[in-house]
Amino acid sequence: MMDMTTIITDLYMARADVFLACAALILLAVGVCLKTRAFHRIAIGGVTALVLTLIMTLQQDNSGDSITLFGDMLVYDRFGVFMKVLVSIGAISAIFMGVRDLGDHVIGKFEYVILILLATLGMNIMISSNNMLSLYMGLELQSLALYILAAFNRNSLTSSEAGLKYFILGALSSGMLLFGISLIYGYTGTTSFPLIADIVLIEQTDMVSMGMLVGLVFILVGLAFKISAVPFHMWTPDVYQGAPSSVTAFFAMAPKMAAMALMARVLFSAFGELHSDWAQIIFAISLASMALGAFAGLVQKNLYRLLAYSSIGHMGYALLGYFVGGFTGVTATLVYLSIYLVMTAGTFAMILSVRNKDNVAATNLNEFAGLSKKSPVVAYGLAIMLFSMAGIPPLAGFFGKLYIFKAVLDGGYYTLAVLGVCASVVASYYYLKLIKIMFFDQPSAHDDYVVAPSRLLRWVGVPSVLFVVTFIFYPDWLVYEATQAALSLR
Amino acid sequence: MNLENFPLLSFMTFLPLVGALFVMIIKGANDERVKNNAVNVGAFVSFVVFALSCVMLFQFDKTTADFQFVENVIWFEGLNLTYSMGADGISVFFVMLSTLLTPLCILLCKQSVKSRVREYVCALLVLETFMIGTFCALDGILFYIFFEGVLLPMFLLIGVWGGPRRVYAAFKFFLFTLLGSVLMLIALIYMFNEAGTTDIPTLMEQGYPYMAQMWLFVAFFASFAVKMPMWPVHTWLPDAHVEAPTGGSVILAGVLLKMGGYGFLRFSIPMFPEAVEYFAPMIFWLSVIAIIYTSLIALVQDDMKKMIAYSSVAHMGYVTLGIFTATTQGVEGAIFQMISHGLISAALFLCVGVIYDRLHTREISRYGGIVKNMPKYATLFMIFMLGSVGLPGTSGFVGEILSLMGAFQIDTVIGTLAASGLVLGATYMLWLYRQVVFGPGKNKDALKMSDVNGMEKFALIPLAAMVLWIGVQPNFVLDRIAPSVENLLANYYEAISLPTNELARLGR
């Protein structure tokens, strides 16, 4: 039994997450009382809260060692810090984009910010989880906030549909995850990752029980839903298309980071010894995601569906690092995820600045026709992001792919590497297609789209472009941080 | 100025990039002024780069096969990558070619490019950075970055300023080259994992097992053969050439095609000698097919650019033929042929551009009899046409004859078949010249065209002079490439005659 002082010490150690939880609740209360401009004010508060959380998170990093809190429920290590930074960047960008996208809109309710804060809290718990129960708690906190966010535009049929679809499929996946957890609990008698790892290590000497493997499969299925890996990706295009644009941007960034972090915890902290068993599953979903992401994206006319398939493909590449496993593989995945995050943030910042006269963001590809004439800056920025996503050097996206494929070849999986790069060539077609529409096509006569990047969108877009372009000069720091994070994982 | 420690190559490589940034921020009251300023700044920057490259050429020590002007800076510690640049006899003239053609293209865009001139100049300057970088990079990954980076500006050049089917051409160009390149990237990463570095001189010493060499060679071949382009993966070239604006065609024919040949010399021959020996017969036949087949296709074209594009594929056939004979004459001839083709085909595309700007058609039948109103143009065009045919006294002759000498040392049949390309080349080029310049003047508009203006003379006359000069004085080039080629071949023959490799091959 924990005594009072332990709890207080643990609460202090977890002060970043505690602070975020309090801030979300306080902002909710404040928001209700505000009469005017609630969205903007709460957005400022939300960003401040996230930045403060980020500072507190980074402070924890100084110790260097990993610590476990609340009876091994949560673990704070460099891996967690790394992923939390990524999630916070995603959340802050999403709030910035939301101010532009929803702020002046009828549906611009300040709850958007609160929900993002709560989702971020859930993700931070996911990232820190060291136990199946804290994993599930974090995951559900995140998911419930995301379901509401998807349906945030309640006047729109597609948004409601997106929310409902996401909720039903998300609930299904949570069910599978819970089933997997209960199987694991049944066969190992514990829900704690380190204890599971010990039991796996002992059992491995003769034979791992089949029930545990089945449980692991169910857990992986549940997590694959969250990162929208094929074949559990069905909800992604619909939700991306239906949800408000800034929410889609959030979906494309933060939850993916959190779910990938969670996957790393489960796969490496708990089941690291079973690498040869789960690697087959990761192999299959990774290859399928790369292929489907590449081929299904080719025929899309809606920009958000295209980006959905693009993100499916990117998750396939990121998973390759987990498939290879070990320290190089995880490092490669972390580098890839960081670059993916920045590219996605930049892409959405550019896209959201193209709006029609009702102040709704453009959704169809052909609405970008002739963008390079209307606004060269936005067009070139978006083109840089897209070339980077296609993995063309000298942009950052190339280094992400370089790292992943280096890890894959290091593991000796030559065929997989060849298939992976071929998929990336196929995928480059749809990125080029959008560039073609922006640069080669003429704007249609009756198009009323204006390019109006707000200051906040610039705050997201300009750093992203700078990062993607100048990454080639200073690649080391990110790799160093990712290496440290990967080292602390086990 | 002390050139010992001055990073000349990096300076040359990145100066155009700085220029591009500068051009990007040019603002002006009206479009005309912006356009003029952009062109002037671009031309100034690229002429400075050209002057620097001349300095490099005169500082170049022609007695050694080592890399010169070497720079080594730690770039990517986590991956053990170094930023390393250097030039040897194989690369030095390709750098010259890049720095020579870019200013000409920038100057000539004043009259041939109508819209978005500022961005056009930017694209050309960025392209120059990547081109020089490709030829100077001494690190595999660095090479790949430059090699692949070329796609970005070229895609925009073709797509934004190209002809009616520009979208198709741009996509085809991009996707063909990308697919080839990513396979090379895989091979490069494999070598990286084996050697722990991608430093090119280290990789040359590395040596790989027989089977690994085979796969690596195939992967690199996928990239370089597409870039070259070799038959049967050449189909992107005619499309890209026809649709690209004049400047794009000039750079494409003048420099980009040479990247494939350069890659073979820099990677394939020194790093996978046994695979080169194994695959050489196949490449000879591909080259012969390219020479004869694409020459025949060129014969029936009615579009000038397309004809020159197909003739480029045929001329590149001599290059691959020469390189893989692995004889001194063959390899030197191949390099010479690439330099010569870089000058001649670039000039031919400029010539097409000159009349295209006036009549806005590339159809051969729309021209005729223009010798009367454009005598200077006819003279310049003739020099380049004869150079392309390979007339003795022009640079084309030296390259082709040396490659063929190499080929005859290996196999008489191959040599004979390849030599037939000379006849075919003469057939279509002379026909083209007769149809366009002589012949009956059917089209009144064509007869009203004005002769080459000052700017065009400024671009074409130096090129003509160079074609003639290195045609009669080939030693200026050959002296500088000879030590590197000899070193390359000495290492090659040493590698394929090593007893351990021999045993490994017998035991496979």
Side-chain angles (χ1 to χ4, degrees), chain A residues 383-404:
Chain A
I384 285 172
M385 290 299 153
L386 294 168
F387 274 131
S388 175
M389 284 208 184
I392 308 294
L395 305 171
F398 166 73
F399 289 93
K401 292 227 161 74
L402 176 71
Y403 250 94
I404 286 286

Side-chain angles (χ1 to χ4, degrees), chain A residues 9-150:
Chain A
T9 329
D10 284 2
L11 279 175
Y12 176 72
M13 296 306 284
R15 59 191 178 279
D17 294 337
V18 175
F19 170 78
L20 188 57
C22 298
L25 296 176
I26 293 167
L27 283 172
L28 180 62
V30 172
V32 175
C33 303
L34 284 175
K35 293 278 186 302
T36 53
R37 287 179 59 81
F39 192 102
H40 292 82
R41 291 176 182 178
I42 295 297
I44 294 168
V47 171
T48 318
L50 282 171
V51 170
L52 289 174
T53 313
L54 200 54
I55 292 170
M56 289 184 212
T57 310
L58 288 171
Q59 273 177 350
Q60 288 167 351
D61 184 32
N62 289 340
S63 60
D65 305 328
S66 55
I67 44 171
T68 54
L69 305 176
F70 305 112
D72 283 0
M73 273 290 178
L74 298 177
V75 59
Y76 285 82
D77 55 6
R78 290 195 79 145
F79 175 78
V81 172
F82 188 89
M83 297 310 285
K84 281 176 187 174
V85 171
L86 294 188
V87 165
S88 304
I89 292 172
I92 293 172
S93 321
I95 293 179
F96 281 171
M97 290 181 205
V99 172
R100 177 74 187 95
D101 191 42
L102 307 168
D104 307 320
H105 215 275
V106 190
I107 55 160
K109 305 285 184 209
F110 72 91
E111 283 87 347
Y112 173 82
V113 181
I114 308 294
L115 287 168
I116 283 193
L117 291 186
L118 288 174
T120 311
L121 176 65
M123 291 175 206
N124 284 353
I125 294 173
M126 283 162 76
I127 291 169
S128 297
S129 64
N130 199 29
N131 190 305
M132 292 292 181
L133 294 179
S134 51
L135 173 158
Y136 190 73
M137 193 178 75
L139 191 69
E140 282 307 286
L141 177 57
Q142 177 225 223
S143 300
L144 283 171
L146 293 185
Y147 301 147
I148 307 170
L149 276 175

Side-chain angles (χ1 to χ4, degrees), chain B residues 298-303 307 364-365 385 389 424-438:
Chain B
L299 264 176
V300 296
Q301 297 304 318
D302 44 17
D303 180 313
M307 179 182 273
I364 297 171
S365 57
M385 181 272 295
V389 169
L424 290 168
T427 320
Y428 60 76
M429 284 314 288
L430 289 173
W431 181 80
L432 170 74
Y433 191 74
R434 192 195 65 186
Q435 293 292 315
V436 172
V437 177
F438 299 128

Side-chain angles (χ1 to χ4, degrees), chain A residues 372 380 406 439-440 472 476, chain B residues 75 77-78 116 119 166 193:
Chain A
S372 68
Y380 276 104
K406 187 169 182 318
F439 282 87
F440 306 170
I472 181 169
D476 257 340
Chain B
W75 166 41
E77 233 174 335
R116 304 206 224 172
E119 286 152 282
R166 58 188 201 275
N193 284 337

Side-chain angles (χ1 to χ4, degrees), chain A residues 51-302:
Chain A
V51 170
L52 289 174
T53 313
L54 200 54
I55 292 170
M56 289 184 212
T57 310
L58 288 171
Q59 273 177 350
Q60 288 167 351
D61 184 32
N62 289 340
S63 60
D65 305 328
S66 55
I67 44 171
T68 54
L69 305 176
F70 305 112
D72 283 0
M73 273 290 178
L74 298 177
V75 59
Y76 285 82
D77 55 6
R78 290 195 79 145
F79 175 78
V81 172
F82 188 89
M83 297 310 285
K84 281 176 187 174
V85 171
L86 294 188
V87 165
S88 304
I89 292 172
I92 293 172
S93 321
I95 293 179
F96 281 171
M97 290 181 205
V99 172
R100 177 74 187 95
D101 191 42
L102 307 168
D104 307 320
H105 215 275
V106 190
I107 55 160
K109 305 285 184 209
F110 72 91
E111 283 87 347
Y112 173 82
V113 181
I114 308 294
L115 287 168
I116 283 193
L117 291 186
L118 288 174
T120 311
L121 176 65
M123 291 175 206
N124 284 353
I125 294 173
M126 283 162 76
I127 291 169
S128 297
S129 64
N130 199 29
N131 190 305
M132 292 292 181
L133 294 179
S134 51
L135 173 158
Y136 190 73
M137 193 178 75
L139 191 69
E140 282 307 286
L141 177 57
Q142 177 225 223
S143 300
L144 283 171
L146 293 185
Y147 301 147
I148 307 170
L149 276 175
F152 201 72
N153 186 355
R154 59 186 171 199
N155 302 328
S156 148
L157 203 59
T158 50
S159 180
S160 311
E161 184 201 322
L164 194 62
K165 200 171 243 172
Y166 191 26
F167 172 66
I168 291 172
L169 288 174
L172 181 69
S173 77
S174 295
M176 290 194 182
L177 192 71
L178 265 187
F179 184 57
I181 290 173
S182 60
L183 275 174
I184 297 282
Y185 181 60
Y187 279 88
T188 60
T190 176
T191 54
S192 156
F193 292 167
L195 294 179
I196 292 173
D198 290 344
I199 289 164
V200 169
L201 194 62
I202 295 163
E203 279 200 24
Q204 211 204 10
T205 45
D206 42 282
M207 185 71 183
V208 179
S209 62
M210 191 47 91
M212 192 149 79
L213 285 181
V214 173
L216 179 57
V217 170
F218 273 98
I219 290 180
L220 277 179
V221 167
L223 293 179
F225 258 108
K226 303 294 176 195
I227 58 166
S228 65
V230 178
F232 311 105
H233 65 285
M234 307 297 184
W235 58 273
T236 322
D238 293 329
V239 172
Y240 272 45
Q241 184 184 9
S245 307
S246 47
V247 175
T248 307
F250 185 57
F251 281 0
M253 295 186 286
K256 296 233 166 17
M257 303 296 134
M260 286 298 280
L262 191 52
M263 209 166 207
R265 291 256 189 242
V266 173
L267 293 180
F268 294 104
S269 299
F271 295 99
E273 294 298 324
L274 292 181
H275 180 267
S276 55
D277 293 295
W278 54 254
Q280 309 160 26
I281 305 172
I282 301 289
F283 173 80
I285 62 176
S286 151
L287 196 59
S289 303
M290 289 190 292
L292 188 110
F295 282 98
L298 295 178
V299 292
Q300 302 305 323
K301 296 207 165 48
N302 182 293

Side-chain angles (χ1 to χ4, degrees), chain A residues 372 380 387 392-394 398-399 403 406 409-410 414 417 421 425 428-429 432-433 436 439-440 472 475-476, chain B residues 75-79 116 119 144-145 148-149 152 159-160 166-167 171 174-175 178 182 186 189-190 192-193:
Chain A
S372 68
Y380 276 104
F387 274 131
I392 308 294
F398 166 73
F399 289 93
Y403 250 94
K406 187 169 182 318
L409 288 170
D410 228 1
Y414 304 122
V421 292
V425 173
S428 73
Y429 176 81
L432 289 185
K433 194 165 82 174
K436 171 227 151 198
F439 282 87
F440 306 170
I472 181 169
D476 257 340
Chain B
W75 166 41
F76 202 160
E77 233 174 335
L79 276 185
R116 304 206 224 172
E119 286 152 282
Y144 182 83
I145 288 171
E148 189 86 336
L152 307 180
V160 176
R166 58 188 201 275
V167 174
F171 272 79
F174 196 99
L175 294 174
L178 183 64
V182 290
I186 294 287
I189 298 176
Y190 171 82
F192 188 5
N193 284 337

Side-chain angles (χ1 to χ4, degrees), chain B residues 76 117 163 211 421 448 502:
Chain B
F76 202 160
V117 177
M211 274 324 281
K448 270 185 243 156
E502 202 65 37

